[in-house]
């Protein structure tokens, strides 16, 4: 399961990078760019946790995902056909936060379970 999640994370990050850095006439996906960011980073957070579970890897996972989102925005700011957006980065962070909030809520709802 961990290997599949790690591979899925790599493939998802490659696909998101391609979508983020190529000219796109209309944003593909859910119809509202910020919602695409939230959904993408929620999925990335889930894959990262499945690939590297546990509290010990949480700082690393958060750094990876938020650094990745920030990196995309910085590169988009250098492209003439794209633009950087602090709101896009905020939507990325919201997606990561939603995943961790949902995970915590589910874990706390199960008696006898550890939130790792």
């Amino acid at each position: 399961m961990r290997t599949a999640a790690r591979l899925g994370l790599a493939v998802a990050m490659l696909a998101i990078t391609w979508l983020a850095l190529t000219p796109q006439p209309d944003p593909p996906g859910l119809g509202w760019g910020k919602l695409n960011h939230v959904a993408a980073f929620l999925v990335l957070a889930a894959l990262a946790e499945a690939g590297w579970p546990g509290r010990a890897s949480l700082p690393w996972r958060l750094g990876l995902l938020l650094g990745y989102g920030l990196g995309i925005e910085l590169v988009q700011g250098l492209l003439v056909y794209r633009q950087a957006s602090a709101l896009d980065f905020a939507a990325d962070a919201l997606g990561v936060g939603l995943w961790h909030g949902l995970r915590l809520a589910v874990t706390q709802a199960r008696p006898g379970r550890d939130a790792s």
Side-chain angles (χ1 to χ4, degrees):
M1 177 68 175
R2 287 183 186 180
T3 302
R6 291 173 181 183
L7 180 60
L9 179 64
V11 169
M13 290 176 86
L14 286 172
I16 290 166
T17 301
W18 181 81
L19 288 169
L21 301 181
T22 59
Q24 301 290 328
D26 289 318
L30 301 172
W32 184 50
K34 304 304 178 262
L35 186 56
N36 289 340
H37 282 261
V38 171
F41 276 77
L42 191 145
V43 169
L44 292 177
L47 289 168
E49 184 172 344
W52 292 273
R55 287 184 187 168
S57 65
L58 179 61
W60 177 88
R61 292 190 317 256
L62 291 176
L64 170 76
L65 296 173
L66 296 177
Y68 173 67
L70 182 61
I72 286 175
E73 295 307 318
L74 292 174
V75 172
Q76 283 181 335
L78 300 173
L79 302 174
V80 294
Y81 52 86
R82 301 299 289 234
Q83 64 184 26
S85 168
L87 290 177
D88 284 350
F89 178 69
D92 299 344
L94 178 61
V96 173
L98 281 173
W99 168 254
H100 288 286
L102 291 170
R103 173 77 166 85
L104 184 62
V106 168
T107 301
Q108 288 181 346
R110 293 181 178 167
R113 297 289 301 231
D114 181 16
S116 66

